[in-house]
């Protein structure tokens, strides 16, 4: 089965084609970074308008790179939620119209599930595993016991880790989006130079909180009174505070759940320090770590096409009432 996937939940317009036997045939992402950089964050209304501009050329490119047209495509998968509702509706309405016109089945994919299962595009992982989903919009831990058995264990009570990275970069005058810039600068910095707080919350809690850390950085910068800042050290110290909590809570949750495998997903899982630390500490705790390549960490449609192929192969298409949803469907 060959599936066209479409993703437009935030600020990337993406389309991809995945084939059950040939694998990933195309994976196209159109970034809106230049549009939002001016504002230091994603502006939802502008994101929707950009998706409208990009969705047709992006889908056309994904189809042409996969040398596929109406005849070769067996089904369509589209991100239904969670995400920015205006952005989601652009991809969803386009996908529904195409499915109707081409008379193909459609599957409305959950963005979080698509991230969690994106690892399977590159390597097999035995169930059960723990998934740490860290992106600009999410920081959550899941126990994944099967394709239909994903249980939410905990998540951020305020900012997502990616949001914290982006805000930190903004405070440090490093531009937008900041995660990748902090990652690069931090490699030349001393992570022990400045002490930033770690929010561990209640013992055993799988929840996260990054708003205090963000405020701590802001206060720290305000009290430097114009003294030159060793920006690499500040970036490394901030990054270390985020990574300590992400790794500590993930390893602890894996132990508690009796699970020996951990999968990372989402934009922040591209972070070099996080990748090294989770592998190191996982190994020490007898846990195997699975890291998607960086292109599959950030938002993409390959993960949507892949999940769609699984579901549609199982005969699980969505009905004409398929609609977009903004909030996570995983109960707290
Ligand atoms: O998954 P994603 O592309 O979009 C969302 O669904 O949010 O994640 C984007 C987030 C941004 O906050 C970005 O700063 C962060 O991922 N990010 C990183 C790195 N690359 C992207 N954060 C830390 N280190 C990186 N290398
Ligand atoms: Zn995402």
């Amino acid at each position: 089965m060959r599936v066209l996937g479409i993703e437009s939940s935030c600020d990337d317009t993406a389309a991809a084609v995945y084939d059950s036997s040939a694998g990933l045939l195309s994976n196209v992402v159109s970034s809106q970074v230049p549009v939002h950089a001016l504002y230091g964050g994603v502006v939802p209304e502008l994101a929707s308008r950009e998706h409208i501009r990009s969705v047709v050329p992006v889908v056309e490119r994904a189809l042409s790179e996969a040398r596929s047209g109406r005849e070769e495509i067996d089904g369509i998968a589209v991100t239904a939620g969670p995400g920015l509702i205006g952005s989601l509706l652009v991809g969803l309405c386009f996908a529904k119209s195409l499915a109707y016109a081409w008379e193909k089945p459609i599957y409305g994919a959950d963005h979080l599930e698509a991230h969690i299962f994106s690892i399977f595009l590159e390597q097999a992982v035995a169930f059960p595993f723990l998934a740490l989903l860290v992106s600009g919009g999410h920081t959550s831990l899941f126990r994944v016991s099967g394709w239909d058995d994903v249980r939410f264990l905990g998540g951020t009570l305020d900012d997502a880790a990616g949001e914290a990275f982006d805000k930190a970069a903004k405070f440090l005058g490093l531009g937008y989006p900041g995660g990748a810039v902090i990652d690069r600068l931090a490699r030349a910095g001393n992570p022990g130079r400045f002490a930033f707080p770690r929010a561990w919350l209640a013992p055993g809690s799988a929840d996260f909180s990054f708003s205090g850390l963000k405020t701590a950085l802001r206060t720290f910068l305000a009290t430097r009174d114009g003294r030159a800042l060793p920006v690499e050290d500040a970036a490394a110290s901030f990054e270390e505070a985020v990574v300590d909590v992400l790794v500590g809570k993930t390893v602890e949750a894996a132990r508690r759940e009796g699970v020996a495998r951990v999968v990372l997903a989402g934009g922040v899982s591209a972070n070099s320090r996080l990748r090294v630390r989770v592998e190191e500490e996982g190994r020490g705790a007898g846990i195997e770590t699975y890291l998607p390549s960086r292109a599959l960490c950030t938002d993409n449609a390959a993960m949507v096409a892949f999940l769609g192929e699984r579901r549609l192969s199982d005969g699980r298409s969505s009905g004409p009432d398929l609609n977009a949803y903004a909030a996570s469907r995983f109960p707290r």
Side-chain angles (χ1 to χ4, degrees), residues 28-313:
V28 178
V29 182
S30 167
S31 161
Q32 300 181 1
V33 163
V35 175
H36 304 287
L38 215 60
Y39 306 93
V42 176
V43 182
E45 177 59 23
L46 295 183
S48 310
R49 292 184 204 176
E50 284 304 306
H51 285 306
I52 291 171
R53 257 193 277 274
S54 310
V55 69
V56 171
V58 166
V59 168
E60 278 178 341
R61 218 179 103 203
L63 288 170
S64 97
E65 283 180 15
R67 298 183 190 287
S68 302
R70 177 181 180 159
E71 292 312 310
E72 290 75 24
I73 295 295
D74 302 305
I76 294 169
V78 61
T79 303
L84 300 173
I85 201 72
S87 290
L88 287 163
L89 281 168
V90 176
L92 190 103
C93 293
F94 179 81
K96 282 180 81 170
S97 310
L98 190 63
Y100 181 73
W102 282 7
E103 298 175 307
K104 308 287 178 189
I106 187 167
Y107 177 73
D110 185 273
H111 183 76
L112 309 188
E113 278 192 5
H115 267 304
I116 291 168
F117 291 115
S118 62
I119 189 74
F120 287 94
L121 278 156
E122 296 176 326
Q123 49 186 319
V125 188
F127 295 116
F129 60 82
L130 205 85
L132 171 68
L133 172 56
V134 261
S135 69
H138 305 275
T139 300
S140 306
L141 277 167
F142 298 91
R143 182 194 168 100
V144 186
S145 305
W147 287 97
D148 280 305
D149 193 348
V150 179
R151 186 160 55 84
F152 176 84
L153 299 175
T156 185
L157 303 175
D158 39 59
D159 296 344
E163 204 178 340
F165 272 118
D166 293 340
K167 288 275 160 55
K170 195 171 173 178
F171 297 158
L172 292 166
L174 302 174
Y176 167 86
V181 187
I182 292 196
D183 186 346
R184 187 166 44 75
L185 284 174
R187 282 178 226 169
N190 172 6
R193 172 83 185 268
F194 303 114
F196 291 119
R198 277 83 167 144
W200 295 107
L201 308 176
S205 166
D207 286 331
F208 299 87
S209 167
F210 294 106
S211 64
L213 171 61
K214 190 177 71 182
T215 308
L217 176 67
R218 196 168 200 171
T219 311
F220 163 78
L221 293 173
T223 53
R224 284 200 58 89
D225 296 331
R227 274 174 296 151
L229 180 76
V231 69
E232 289 85 0
D233 290 346
S237 302
F238 181 88
E239 180 184 73
E240 200 69 359
V242 176
V243 169
D244 265 354
V245 174
L246 291 176
V247 173
K249 281 180 176 271
T250 302
V251 170
E252 163 65 21
R255 271 215 196 98
R256 212 172 34 246
E257 291 290 320
V259 167
R261 285 166 292 272
V262 164
V263 167
L264 258 57
V268 178
S269 58
N271 182 269
S272 323
R273 186 76 180 143
L274 174 62
R275 293 170 82 91
V276 168
R277 290 272 316 273
V278 77
E279 266 197 323
E280 268 175 17
E281 273 158 63
R283 205 176 306 123
I287 294 165
E288 246 182 298
T289 307
Y290 297 83
L291 304 168
S293 61
R294 283 182 166 77
L296 290 179
C297 289
T298 46
D299 282 347
N300 64 83
M303 63 186 192
V304 177
F306 173 74
L307 184 61
E309 185 273 336
R310 284 247 20 143
R311 302 301 197 211
L312 291 171
S313 297

